[in-house]
Amino acid sequence: MALRIFVTGPAGVGKTTHVERVAKEVDRWGYIVGGMITREVRRGGRRIGFKITALDLGEEGTLASIRGTSHLPGVPFGKYVVHVDEIDRVAVPAIRRAIVEADLIVIDEIGPMEYKSDEFIRAVGEVLKSEKPLLAVVHRKFVDRFRPLGEVHTLSFENRNAEFGIILDRVMKELKGIRG
């Protein structure tokens, strides 16, 4: 079975930063990293939404925005509107390209906003059926769904530097074994 690493932890602990650091290091070693990253969008020190970026092409889309701040259609989710069309336009193709082209698939994040898209759910299922290694951020509400499918690493402010080394080591051993 291919390596599946799921990173979780409280908001603000650095899950995205952590996964990006691993992805950059893997890339530096000449491996192809694909998939997508989600980042907060802030204005005036206040979070106003989330942006999706495809790791291979750098294409961007709006995952979610505060209600009334975007012209994009979407599904209400708390104080946000989730832009399913943007998930389907940017995240889903990035994940599917990674299944074919990448050595390591990165998905940040698998959570309730992203799960508003049926295509995203299908793409995650395709990754899990593939033989490609996966490094994914999983929202705390989804951890129990993914725990049986791989390793769960819970980040904290105290352990995140040590976890970086542990996860990078696991990923590199897997990738070197594949290329052998």
Side-chain angles (χ1 to χ4, degrees):
M1 187 173 108
L3 180 67
R4 308 277 186 246
I5 295 179
F6 303 108
V7 177
T8 193
V13 77
K15 298 178 294 290
T16 296
T17 301
H18 191 85
V19 168
E20 278 186 302
R21 283 180 61 205
V22 171
K24 284 178 183 166
E25 192 64 22
V26 167
D27 178 70
R28 196 172 72 76
W29 280 90
Y31 294 96
I32 299 167
V33 180
M36 47 79 71
I37 295 281
T38 303
R39 293 184 180 86
E40 289 184 349
V41 176
R42 293 187 164 272
R43 188 175 302 138
R46 184 171 155 244
R47 185 170 66 199
I48 61 167
F50 298 91
K51 171 176 74 170
I52 314 161
T53 304
L55 289 171
D56 59 348
L57 304 178
E59 186 178 21
E60 294 184 341
T62 303
L63 168 65
S65 54
I66 290 180
R67 289 185 194 210
T69 62
S70 175
H71 64 282
L72 297 169
V75 178
F77 184 86
K79 69 178 182 178
Y80 295 99
V81 174
V82 176
H83 305 293
V84 175
D85 291 350
E86 292 284 282
I87 296 169
D88 293 350
R89 181 181 68 80
V90 177
V92 172
I95 293 166
R96 288 189 169 137
R97 285 191 306 271
I99 294 170
V100 175
E101 300 167 3
D103 297 309
L104 174 66
I105 301 169
V106 171
I107 303 176
D108 171 36
E109 99 175 35
I110 300 172
M113 284 188 179
E114 294 82 1
Y115 261 48
K116 296 293 181 190
S117 163
D118 291 339
E119 282 302 309
F120 182 88
I121 294 168
R122 277 192 275 284
V124 169
E126 291 164 22
V127 169
L128 293 171
K129 289 176 187 159
S130 81
E131 290 302 313
K132 296 282 178 95
L134 169 66
L135 175 59
V137 173
V138 177
H139 189 280
R140 65 186 177 279
K141 292 180 180 176
F142 283 51
V143 170
D144 289 339
R145 287 185 202 187
F146 288 89
R147 188 177 309 280
L149 305 176
E151 301 174 18
V152 173
H153 293 255
T154 303
L155 297 187
S156 67
F157 291 105
E158 295 77 28
N159 77 357
R160 63 185 180 184
N161 290 330
E163 282 292 327
F164 170 76
I166 292 166
I167 291 171
L168 179 61
D169 185 58
R170 292 282 292 122
V171 169
M172 291 306 296
K173 280 182 179 164
E174 177 81 1
L175 293 173
K176 287 176 182 172
I178 290 170
R179 274 206 191 153

mmCIF file of all heavy atoms in Angstrom, residues 129-154:
data_model
loop_
_atom_site.group_PDB
_atom_site.id
_atom_site.type_symbol
_atom_site.label_atom_id
_atom_site.label_comp_id
_atom_site.label_asym_id
_atom_site.label_seq_id
_atom_site.Cartn_x
_atom_site.Cartn_y
_atom_site.Cartn_z
ATOM 1 N N LYS A 129 -7.221 5.357 -4.188
ATOM 2 C CA LYS A 129 -7.155 4.099 -4.936
ATOM 3 C C LYS A 129 -5.844 3.974 -5.718
ATOM 4 O O LYS A 129 -5.502 2.882 -6.174
ATOM 5 C CB LYS A 129 -8.329 3.993 -5.907
ATOM 6 C CG LYS A 129 -9.650 3.755 -5.218
ATOM 7 C CD LYS A 129 -10.787 3.744 -6.211
ATOM 8 C CE LYS A 129 -12.112 3.685 -5.481
ATOM 9 N NZ LYS A 129 -13.221 4.150 -6.313
ATOM 10 N N SER A 130 -5.132 5.083 -5.874
ATOM 11 C CA SER A 130 -3.894 5.084 -6.655
ATOM 12 C C SER A 130 -2.745 4.513 -5.822
ATOM 13 O O SER A 130 -2.876 4.313 -4.619
ATOM 14 C CB SER A 130 -3.548 6.509 -7.114
ATOM 15 O OG SER A 130 -2.912 7.239 -6.074
ATOM 16 N N GLU A 131 -1.640 4.292 -6.479
ATOM 17 C CA GLU A 131 -0.430 3.801 -5.798
ATOM 18 C C GLU A 131 0.532 4.940 -5.492
ATOM 19 O O GLU A 131 1.684 4.698 -5.146
ATOM 20 C CB GLU A 131 0.251 2.740 -6.670
ATOM 21 C CG GLU A 131 -0.546 1.449 -6.752
ATOM 22 C CD GLU A 131 -0.794 0.827 -5.370
ATOM 23 O OE1 GLU A 131 0.156 0.732 -4.572
ATOM 24 O OE2 GLU A 131 -1.950 0.451 -5.089
ATOM 25 N N LYS A 132 0.069 6.188 -5.634
ATOM 26 C CA LYS A 132 0.935 7.339 -5.389
ATOM 27 C C LYS A 132 0.936 7.713 -3.906
ATOM 28 O O LYS A 132 -0.096 7.665 -3.245
ATOM 29 C CB LYS A 132 0.444 8.558 -6.195
ATOM 30 C CG LYS A 132 0.507 8.379 -7.694
ATOM 31 C CD LYS A 132 1.922 8.551 -8.206
ATOM 32 C CE LYS A 132 2.022 8.325 -9.696
ATOM 33 N NZ LYS A 132 1.948 9.511 -10.493
ATOM 34 N N PRO A 133 2.098 8.114 -3.375
ATOM 35 C CA PRO A 133 2.149 8.614 -2.002
ATOM 36 C C PRO A 133 1.327 9.901 -1.874
ATOM 37 O O PRO A 133 1.300 10.724 -2.789
ATOM 38 C CB PRO A 133 3.631 8.904 -1.765
ATOM 39 C CG PRO A 133 4.367 8.228 -2.853
ATOM 40 C CD PRO A 133 3.414 8.082 -4.004
ATOM 41 N N LEU A 134 0.690 10.053 -0.716
ATOM 42 C CA LEU A 134 -0.167 11.205 -0.447
ATOM 43 C C LEU A 134 0.252 11.875 0.850
ATOM 44 O O LEU A 134 0.457 11.205 1.866
ATOM 45 C CB LEU A 134 -1.627 10.749 -0.322
ATOM 46 C CG LEU A 134 -2.641 11.772 0.209
ATOM 47 C CD1 LEU A 134 -2.812 12.942 -0.764
ATOM 48 C CD2 LEU A 134 -3.984 11.095 0.483
ATOM 49 N N LEU A 135 0.348 13.200 0.791
ATOM 50 C CA LEU A 135 0.535 14.032 1.972
ATOM 51 C C LEU A 135 -0.629 15.007 1.982
ATOM 52 O O LEU A 135 -0.765 15.822 1.066
ATOM 53 C CB LEU A 135 1.866 14.783 1.905
ATOM 54 C CG LEU A 135 2.150 15.791 3.024
ATOM 55 C CD1 LEU A 135 2.130 15.130 4.393
ATOM 56 C CD2 LEU A 135 3.475 16.496 2.766
ATOM 57 N N ALA A 136 -1.493 14.893 2.994
ATOM 58 C CA ALA A 136 -2.709 15.701 3.007
ATOM 59 C C ALA A 136 -2.938 16.323 4.375
ATOM 60 O O ALA A 136 -2.661 15.705 5.406
ATOM 61 C CB ALA A 136 -3.922 14.847 2.634
ATOM 62 N N VAL A 137 -3.457 17.537 4.362
ATOM 63 C CA VAL A 137 -3.957 18.156 5.576
ATOM 64 C C VAL A 137 -5.414 17.737 5.694
ATOM 65 O O VAL A 137 -6.176 17.849 4.732
ATOM 66 C CB VAL A 137 -3.851 19.702 5.516
ATOM 67 C CG1 VAL A 137 -4.540 20.339 6.711
ATOM 68 C CG2 VAL A 137 -2.389 20.134 5.444
ATOM 69 N N VAL A 138 -5.775 17.243 6.872
ATOM 70 C CA VAL A 138 -7.141 16.798 7.104
ATOM 71 C C VAL A 138 -7.729 17.607 8.252
ATOM 72 O O VAL A 138 -7.136 17.700 9.326
ATOM 73 C CB VAL A 138 -7.193 15.280 7.429
ATOM 74 C CG1 VAL A 138 -8.605 14.838 7.729
ATOM 75 C CG2 VAL A 138 -6.625 14.476 6.282
ATOM 76 N N HIS A 139 -8.887 18.189 7.996
ATOM 77 C CA HIS A 139 -9.591 18.966 9.019
ATOM 78 C C HIS A 139 -9.891 18.060 10.211
ATOM 79 O O HIS A 139 -10.196 16.876 10.041
ATOM 80 C CB HIS A 139 -10.894 19.520 8.432
ATOM 81 C CG HIS A 139 -11.582 20.501 9.302
ATOM 82 N ND1 HIS A 139 -12.372 20.119 10.364
ATOM 83 C CD2 HIS A 139 -11.583 21.853 9.291
ATOM 84 C CE1 HIS A 139 -12.849 21.199 10.955
ATOM 85 N NE2 HIS A 139 -12.381 22.271 10.322
ATOM 86 N N ARG A 140 -9.817 18.627 11.395
ATOM 87 C CA ARG A 140 -10.003 17.832 12.626
ATOM 88 C C ARG A 140 -11.328 17.068 12.641
ATOM 89 O O ARG A 140 -11.403 15.983 13.220
ATOM 90 C CB ARG A 140 -9.870 18.718 13.859
ATOM 91 C CG ARG A 140 -10.936 19.781 13.984
ATOM 92 C CD ARG A 140 -10.663 20.740 15.152
ATOM 93 N NE ARG A 140 -11.655 21.785 15.215
ATOM 94 C CZ ARG A 140 -11.662 22.883 14.485
ATOM 95 N NH1 ARG A 140 -10.684 23.097 13.612
ATOM 96 N NH2 ARG A 140 -12.616 23.782 14.610
ATOM 97 N N LYS A 141 -12.359 17.586 11.980
ATOM 98 C CA LYS A 141 -13.646 16.897 11.947
ATOM 99 C C LYS A 141 -13.621 15.660 11.043
ATOM 100 O O LYS A 141 -14.524 14.839 11.092
ATOM 101 C CB LYS A 141 -14.748 17.841 11.472
ATOM 102 C CG LYS A 141 -15.063 18.949 12.452
ATOM 103 C CD LYS A 141 -16.154 19.850 11.919
ATOM 104 C CE LYS A 141 -16.474 20.956 12.905
ATOM 105 N NZ LYS A 141 -17.457 21.904 12.379
ATOM 106 N N PHE A 142 -12.596 15.554 10.203
ATOM 107 C CA PHE A 142 -12.505 14.455 9.243
ATOM 108 C C PHE A 142 -11.451 13.406 9.620
ATOM 109 O O PHE A 142 -11.303 12.405 8.936
ATOM 110 C CB PHE A 142 -12.184 15.003 7.849
ATOM 111 C CG PHE A 142 -13.365 15.617 7.153
ATOM 112 C CD1 PHE A 142 -14.162 16.563 7.770
ATOM 113 C CD2 PHE A 142 -13.665 15.258 5.861
ATOM 114 C CE1 PHE A 142 -15.247 17.123 7.115
ATOM 115 C CE2 PHE A 142 -14.757 15.824 5.191
ATOM 116 C CZ PHE A 142 -15.545 16.750 5.831
ATOM 117 N N VAL A 143 -10.714 13.644 10.692
ATOM 118 C CA VAL A 143 -9.593 12.770 11.046
ATOM 119 C C VAL A 143 -10.021 11.317 11.202
ATOM 120 O O VAL A 143 -9.359 10.406 10.683
ATOM 121 C CB VAL A 143 -8.878 13.275 12.323
ATOM 122 C CG1 VAL A 143 -7.875 12.254 12.832
ATOM 123 C CG2 VAL A 143 -8.187 14.584 12.043
ATOM 124 N N ASP A 144 -11.120 11.075 11.882
ATOM 125 C CA ASP A 144 -11.535 9.692 12.126
ATOM 126 C C ASP A 144 -11.878 8.943 10.840
ATOM 127 O O ASP A 144 -11.706 7.728 10.764
ATOM 128 C CB ASP A 144 -12.704 9.631 13.112
ATOM 129 C CG ASP A 144 -12.267 9.987 14.528
ATOM 130 O OD1 ASP A 144 -11.049 9.893 14.819
ATOM 131 O OD2 ASP A 144 -13.114 10.383 15.341
ATOM 132 N N ARG A 145 -12.326 9.668 9.813
ATOM 133 C CA ARG A 145 -12.601 9.035 8.507
ATOM 134 C C ARG A 145 -11.324 8.533 7.851
ATOM 135 O O ARG A 145 -11.330 7.546 7.138
ATOM 136 C CB ARG A 145 -13.218 10.038 7.527
ATOM 137 C CG ARG A 145 -14.610 10.420 7.790
ATOM 138 C CD ARG A 145 -15.095 11.315 6.666
ATOM 139 N NE ARG A 145 -16.215 12.097 7.140
ATOM 140 C CZ ARG A 145 -16.944 12.865 6.386
ATOM 141 N NH1 ARG A 145 -16.679 12.980 5.092
ATOM 142 N NH2 ARG A 145 -17.954 13.540 6.882
ATOM 143 N N PHE A 146 -10.229 9.280 8.053
ATOM 144 C CA PHE A 146 -8.994 8.983 7.329
ATOM 145 C C PHE A 146 -7.978 8.192 8.151
ATOM 146 O O PHE A 146 -7.053 7.613 7.598
ATOM 147 C CB PHE A 146 -8.385 10.286 6.793
ATOM 148 C CG PHE A 146 -9.177 10.841 5.657
ATOM 149 C CD1 PHE A 146 -10.236 11.718 5.883
ATOM 150 C CD2 PHE A 146 -8.919 10.456 4.355
ATOM 151 C CE1 PHE A 146 -10.998 12.201 4.829
ATOM 152 C CE2 PHE A 146 -9.673 10.930 3.296
ATOM 153 C CZ PHE A 146 -10.717 11.806 3.541
ATOM 154 N N ARG A 147 -8.164 8.148 9.462
ATOM 155 C CA ARG A 147 -7.222 7.434 10.339
ATOM 156 C C ARG A 147 -6.972 5.992 9.881
ATOM 157 O O ARG A 147 -5.820 5.549 9.844
ATOM 158 C CB ARG A 147 -7.731 7.469 11.780
ATOM 159 C CG ARG A 147 -6.743 6.932 12.784
ATOM 160 C CD ARG A 147 -7.244 7.045 14.214
ATOM 161 N NE ARG A 147 -7.721 8.355 14.603
ATOM 162 C CZ ARG A 147 -6.954 9.388 14.954
ATOM 163 N NH1 ARG A 147 -5.645 9.252 14.949
ATOM 164 N NH2 ARG A 147 -7.491 10.542 15.300
ATOM 165 N N PRO A 148 -8.007 5.224 9.476
ATOM 166 C CA PRO A 148 -7.750 3.842 9.057
ATOM 167 C C PRO A 148 -6.999 3.738 7.724
ATOM 168 O O PRO A 148 -6.547 2.658 7.357
ATOM 169 C CB PRO A 148 -9.151 3.229 8.907
ATOM 170 C CG PRO A 148 -10.099 4.183 9.536
ATOM 171 C CD PRO A 148 -9.442 5.522 9.542
ATOM 172 N N LEU A 149 -6.847 4.848 7.004
ATOM 173 C CA LEU A 149 -6.287 4.815 5.652
ATOM 174 C C LEU A 149 -4.808 5.167 5.595
ATOM 175 O O LEU A 149 -4.199 5.125 4.524
ATOM 176 C CB LEU A 149 -7.073 5.773 4.749
ATOM 177 C CG LEU A 149 -8.579 5.526 4.697
ATOM 178 C CD1 LEU A 149 -9.258 6.597 3.865
ATOM 179 C CD2 LEU A 149 -8.882 4.136 4.153
ATOM 180 N N GLY A 150 -4.229 5.548 6.733
ATOM 181 C CA GLY A 150 -2.815 5.931 6.723
ATOM 182 C C GLY A 150 -2.355 6.416 8.081
ATOM 183 O O GLY A 150 -2.996 6.147 9.099
ATOM 184 N N GLU A 151 -1.244 7.148 8.071
ATOM 185 C CA GLU A 151 -0.667 7.695 9.298
ATOM 186 C C GLU A 151 -1.270 9.068 9.567
ATOM 187 O O GLU A 151 -1.266 9.924 8.687
ATOM 188 C CB GLU A 151 0.840 7.900 9.146
ATOM 189 C CG GLU A 151 1.634 6.682 8.818
ATOM 190 C CD GLU A 151 3.093 7.022 8.534
ATOM 191 O OE1 GLU A 151 3.572 8.115 8.904
ATOM 192 O OE2 GLU A 151 3.755 6.178 7.915
ATOM 193 N N VAL A 152 -1.714 9.296 10.800
ATOM 194 C CA VAL A 152 -2.191 10.622 11.199
ATOM 195 C C VAL A 152 -1.127 11.264 12.074
ATOM 196 O O VAL A 152 -0.675 10.652 13.055
ATOM 197 C CB VAL A 152 -3.538 10.544 11.947
ATOM 198 C CG1 VAL A 152 -3.929 11.913 12.490
ATOM 199 C CG2 VAL A 152 -4.624 9.997 11.037
ATOM 200 N N HIS A 153 -0.716 12.458 11.698
ATOM 201 C CA HIS A 153 0.258 13.239 12.466
ATOM 202 C C HIS A 153 -0.450 14.498 12.959
ATOM 203 O O HIS A 153 -0.856 15.326 12.137
ATOM 204 C CB HIS A 153 1.461 13.605 11.606
ATOM 205 C CG HIS A 153 2.282 12.422 11.210
ATOM 206 N ND1 HIS A 153 3.492 12.144 11.790
ATOM 207 C CD2 HIS A 153 2.059 11.432 10.305
ATOM 208 C CE1 HIS A 153 3.984 11.033 11.253
ATOM 209 N NE2 HIS A 153 3.130 10.592 10.350
ATOM 210 N N THR A 154 -0.597 14.619 14.271
ATOM 211 C CA THR A 154 -1.256 15.785 14.859
ATOM 212 C C THR A 154 -0.195 16.788 15.263
ATOM 213 O O THR A 154 0.635 16.515 16.139
ATOM 214 C CB THR A 154 -2.102 15.370 16.077
ATOM 215 O OG1 THR A 154 -3.050 14.384 15.652
ATOM 216 C CG2 THR A 154 -2.849 16.571 16.652
#
